[in-house]
Amino acid sequence: MLYNRIALFRAERGISRKALAEAVGVNPQTIGYLERGDYKPSLELAMKIAAEFEVAIEHLFSFTPFEPVAAVLRRAGDAA
Amino acid sequence: MLYNRIALFRAERGISRKALAEAVGVNPQTIGYLERGDYKPSLELAMKIAAEFEVAIEHLFSFTPFEPVAAVLRRAGDAA
DNA sequence: TCCGTTTATTGTGTAAACACAACATATGAT
DNA sequence: ATCATATGTTGTGTTTACACAATAAACGGA
């Protein structure tokens, strides 16, 4: 299993799977498959999605579950 | 074309393709194919190799050619 | 109510990333 | 000279990440 934050970043930016798919040049279903972990992306696609969201690949895909955003916020000392 | 620094890091650590292949769980030929750019790795394999070398994926794979190490050293202000 | 958008699901087809085997070549050590 | 190691090349087979099409369900807006 490969975990990812695609849906998270997509939600934050308010873009649909279709829009993300077009931005990175794949089929909309492919984004869906990735989000539910049905299959693992190529490095190429992973890099394109990371570039689209302007995050490091390591922050987008992980073999261990991602820390909840709430925990990251606390760890970052975010008051707001 | 996808550029990579696999051979570079392998040379620096003095390990063979066979040894790297065993460390990341693939066939030795697969490392060879990757090094010459004959094919592009899966995200999974890319992450394993990056972990093995303890570098970020972005420092290991790139769609644009890598800056020569000499240039990086100068940019880093490395005297030695 | 009807309609557009988003998302899920299922099916079929293809290209490419792998595994594995065999063989050639070069080099370095003994 | 011989042997082990590293690398390159070629070939065959399998798995899976993709493309694409069709359909259904849920939701919000006009």
Side-chain angles (χ1 to χ4, degrees), chain A residues 1 5 9-10 15 17 19 22 27-28 30 36 42-43 46 52 58-59 62 64 66 71 76-78:
Chain A
M1 182 54 184
R5 284 173 166 153
F9 286 120
R10 206 165 52 70
I15 70 173
R17 288 181 182 172
E22 279 163 8
N27 212 270
T30 297
R36 343 181 184 101
S42 62
L43 173 61
E52 180 66 24
E58 291 81 356
H59 289 153
S62 171
T64 58
F66 282 107
D78 246 40

Short mmCIF file of all heavy atoms in Angstrom, two decimals, chain A residues 1 5 9-10 15 17 19 22 27-28 30 36 42-43 46 52 58-59 62 64 66 71 76-78:
data_model
loop_
_atom_site.label_atom_id
_atom_site.label_comp_id
_atom_site.label_asym_id
_atom_site.label_seq_id
_atom_site.Cartn_x
_atom_site.Cartn_y
_atom_site.Cartn_z
N MET A 1 0.84 -1.21 0.00
CA MET A 1 0.00 0.00 0.00
C MET A 1 0.87 1.26 0.00
O MET A 1 1.88 1.34 0.68
CB MET A 1 -0.91 -0.02 1.24
CG MET A 1 -1.87 1.15 1.36
SD MET A 1 -2.90 1.42 -0.06
CE MET A 1 -3.74 2.91 0.44
N ARG A 5 -1.40 12.11 -0.39
CA ARG A 5 -2.20 13.27 0.03
C ARG A 5 -2.80 13.99 -1.16
O ARG A 5 -3.06 15.19 -1.09
CB ARG A 5 -1.31 14.24 0.80
CG ARG A 5 -0.97 13.81 2.22
CD ARG A 5 0.05 14.73 2.84
NE ARG A 5 0.17 14.56 4.29
CZ ARG A 5 1.28 14.84 4.96
NH1 ARG A 5 2.34 15.29 4.31
NH2 ARG A 5 1.32 14.70 6.27
N PHE A 9 -4.58 17.77 -0.96
CA PHE A 9 -4.13 18.98 -1.66
C PHE A 9 -5.15 19.44 -2.69
O PHE A 9 -5.34 20.64 -2.91
CB PHE A 9 -2.78 18.73 -2.33
CG PHE A 9 -1.64 18.67 -1.36
CD1 PHE A 9 -0.85 17.54 -1.25
CD2 PHE A 9 -1.36 19.75 -0.52
CE1 PHE A 9 0.20 17.48 -0.34
CE2 PHE A 9 -0.31 19.70 0.39
CZ PHE A 9 0.46 18.56 0.48
N ARG A 10 -5.83 18.47 -3.27
CA ARG A 10 -6.84 18.81 -4.26
C ARG A 10 -7.98 19.54 -3.58
O ARG A 10 -8.50 20.55 -4.09
CB ARG A 10 -7.32 17.53 -4.94
CG ARG A 10 -7.87 17.72 -6.32
CD ARG A 10 -7.97 16.40 -7.04
NE ARG A 10 -8.68 15.39 -6.27
CZ ARG A 10 -9.97 15.42 -6.02
NH1 ARG A 10 -10.70 16.42 -6.45
NH2 ARG A 10 -10.53 14.46 -5.33
N ILE A 15 -9.76 21.91 -6.55
CA ILE A 15 -9.78 21.48 -7.95
C ILE A 15 -10.26 20.04 -8.04
O ILE A 15 -10.04 19.23 -7.13
CB ILE A 15 -8.41 21.64 -8.65
CG1 ILE A 15 -7.40 20.64 -8.11
CG2 ILE A 15 -7.90 23.07 -8.51
CD1 ILE A 15 -6.10 20.65 -8.88
N ARG A 17 -10.78 16.19 -9.80
CA ARG A 17 -9.88 15.18 -10.36
C ARG A 17 -9.64 15.45 -11.83
O ARG A 17 -8.52 15.29 -12.33
CB ARG A 17 -10.49 13.79 -10.20
CG ARG A 17 -10.48 13.31 -8.78
CD ARG A 17 -11.09 11.93 -8.69
NE ARG A 17 -11.13 11.48 -7.31
CZ ARG A 17 -11.74 10.39 -6.91
NH1 ARG A 17 -12.36 9.63 -7.79
NH2 ARG A 17 -11.72 10.05 -5.66
N ALA A 19 -9.69 18.28 -13.38
CA ALA A 19 -8.78 19.42 -13.57
C ALA A 19 -7.34 19.01 -13.29
O ALA A 19 -6.43 19.37 -14.04
CB ALA A 19 -9.21 20.57 -12.66
N GLU A 22 -6.04 16.88 -16.12
CA GLU A 22 -5.65 17.67 -17.29
C GLU A 22 -4.33 18.39 -17.06
O GLU A 22 -3.49 18.47 -17.96
CB GLU A 22 -6.76 18.68 -17.62
CG GLU A 22 -7.90 18.04 -18.41
CD GLU A 22 -9.17 18.89 -18.40
OE1 GLU A 22 -9.10 20.04 -17.90
OE2 GLU A 22 -10.22 18.39 -18.85
N ASN A 27 -5.54 10.57 -17.55
CA ASN A 27 -6.97 10.35 -17.54
C ASN A 27 -7.53 10.65 -16.15
O ASN A 27 -6.90 10.31 -15.17
CB ASN A 27 -7.23 8.89 -17.92
CG ASN A 27 -8.53 8.73 -18.68
OD1 ASN A 27 -9.56 8.52 -18.06
ND2 ASN A 27 -8.48 8.86 -19.97
N PRO A 28 -8.71 11.24 -16.06
CA PRO A 28 -9.30 11.52 -14.74
C PRO A 28 -9.43 10.27 -13.86
O PRO A 28 -9.19 10.35 -12.65
CB PRO A 28 -10.69 12.07 -15.09
CG PRO A 28 -10.53 12.66 -16.44
CD PRO A 28 -9.52 11.82 -17.15
N THR A 30 -7.48 7.87 -13.68
CA THR A 30 -6.16 7.57 -13.13
C THR A 30 -5.95 8.27 -11.80
O THR A 30 -5.42 7.68 -10.85
CB THR A 30 -5.06 7.99 -14.13
OG1 THR A 30 -5.20 7.21 -15.32
CG2 THR A 30 -3.68 7.77 -13.55
N ARG A 36 -7.40 6.36 -4.23
CA ARG A 36 -7.84 5.24 -3.39
C ARG A 36 -6.76 4.18 -3.24
O ARG A 36 -7.01 3.12 -2.66
CB ARG A 36 -9.09 4.55 -3.92
CG ARG A 36 -9.88 5.22 -4.88
CD ARG A 36 -11.13 4.49 -5.36
NE ARG A 36 -11.70 5.34 -6.40
CZ ARG A 36 -11.56 5.14 -7.71
NH1 ARG A 36 -10.94 4.07 -8.15
NH2 ARG A 36 -12.06 5.99 -8.57
N SER A 42 3.75 6.03 -11.56
CA SER A 42 5.13 6.04 -12.06
C SER A 42 5.83 7.22 -11.40
O SER A 42 5.18 8.14 -10.89
CB SER A 42 5.13 6.24 -13.58
OG SER A 42 4.54 7.48 -13.91
N LEU A 43 7.15 7.19 -11.39
CA LEU A 43 7.89 8.33 -10.83
C LEU A 43 7.54 9.59 -11.60
O LEU A 43 7.38 10.67 -11.03
CB LEU A 43 9.39 8.07 -10.91
CG LEU A 43 10.28 9.26 -10.50
CD1 LEU A 43 10.02 9.65 -9.06
CD2 LEU A 43 11.74 8.94 -10.73
N ALA A 46 4.21 10.93 -10.48
CA ALA A 46 4.38 11.42 -9.11
C ALA A 46 5.06 12.79 -9.11
O ALA A 46 4.65 13.71 -8.39
CB ALA A 46 5.19 10.42 -8.28
N GLU A 52 2.80 20.12 -9.56
CA GLU A 52 1.52 20.84 -9.65
C GLU A 52 1.14 21.42 -8.29
O GLU A 52 0.67 22.56 -8.19
CB GLU A 52 0.44 19.89 -10.16
CG GLU A 52 -0.93 20.50 -10.30
CD GLU A 52 -0.97 21.56 -11.38
OE1 GLU A 52 -0.13 21.52 -12.30
OE2 GLU A 52 -1.84 22.46 -11.30
N GLU A 58 8.06 13.43 -1.20
CA GLU A 58 7.96 12.79 0.11
C GLU A 58 6.78 13.28 0.93
O GLU A 58 6.33 12.59 1.84
CB GLU A 58 9.26 13.01 0.90
CG GLU A 58 10.48 12.28 0.34
CD GLU A 58 11.15 13.01 -0.84
OE1 GLU A 58 10.62 14.05 -1.29
OE2 GLU A 58 12.19 12.51 -1.33
N HIS A 59 6.30 14.47 0.61
CA HIS A 59 5.13 15.01 1.32
C HIS A 59 3.83 14.60 0.65
O HIS A 59 2.75 14.86 1.18
CB HIS A 59 5.21 16.54 1.41
CG HIS A 59 6.26 17.03 2.35
ND1 HIS A 59 6.88 18.24 2.22
CD2 HIS A 59 6.81 16.44 3.43
CE1 HIS A 59 7.76 18.39 3.19
NE2 HIS A 59 7.74 17.31 3.93
N SER A 62 3.86 8.25 0.49
CA SER A 62 4.61 7.60 1.57
C SER A 62 4.16 6.16 1.75
O SER A 62 2.98 5.85 1.56
CB SER A 62 4.41 8.37 2.87
OG SER A 62 4.95 7.62 3.96
N THR A 64 4.36 4.74 4.62
CA THR A 64 3.73 4.71 5.95
C THR A 64 2.65 5.78 5.98
O THR A 64 2.77 6.79 5.28
CB THR A 64 4.77 4.97 7.05
OG1 THR A 64 5.40 6.24 6.81
CG2 THR A 64 5.84 3.90 7.05
N PHE A 66 0.30 8.93 6.55
CA PHE A 66 0.66 10.31 6.84
C PHE A 66 0.10 10.75 8.18
O PHE A 66 -0.99 10.35 8.59
CB PHE A 66 0.13 11.24 5.75
CG PHE A 66 0.96 11.23 4.50
CD1 PHE A 66 0.49 10.61 3.35
CD2 PHE A 66 2.21 11.83 4.48
CE1 PHE A 66 1.27 10.61 2.19
CE2 PHE A 66 2.98 11.83 3.33
CZ PHE A 66 2.51 11.21 2.18
N ALA A 71 -2.04 17.28 13.57
CA ALA A 71 -0.80 16.99 14.31
C ALA A 71 0.37 17.77 13.74
O ALA A 71 1.22 18.27 14.49
CB ALA A 71 -0.52 15.48 14.24
N ALA A 76 4.17 22.13 14.17
CA ALA A 76 4.76 23.32 13.54
C ALA A 76 4.61 24.54 14.43
O ALA A 76 5.06 25.63 14.07
CB ALA A 76 4.10 23.55 12.19
N GLY A 77 3.96 24.37 15.56
CA GLY A 77 3.77 25.49 16.48
C GLY A 77 2.84 26.55 15.94
O GLY A 77 2.93 27.72 16.26
N ASP A 78 1.94 26.08 15.10
CA ASP A 78 1.00 27.00 14.48
C ASP A 78 -0.07 27.41 15.49
O ASP A 78 -0.84 26.58 15.96
CB ASP A 78 0.31 26.32 13.30
CG ASP A 78 0.69 26.97 11.99
OD1 ASP A 78 1.88 27.32 11.86
OD2 ASP A 78 -0.18 27.13 11.13
#
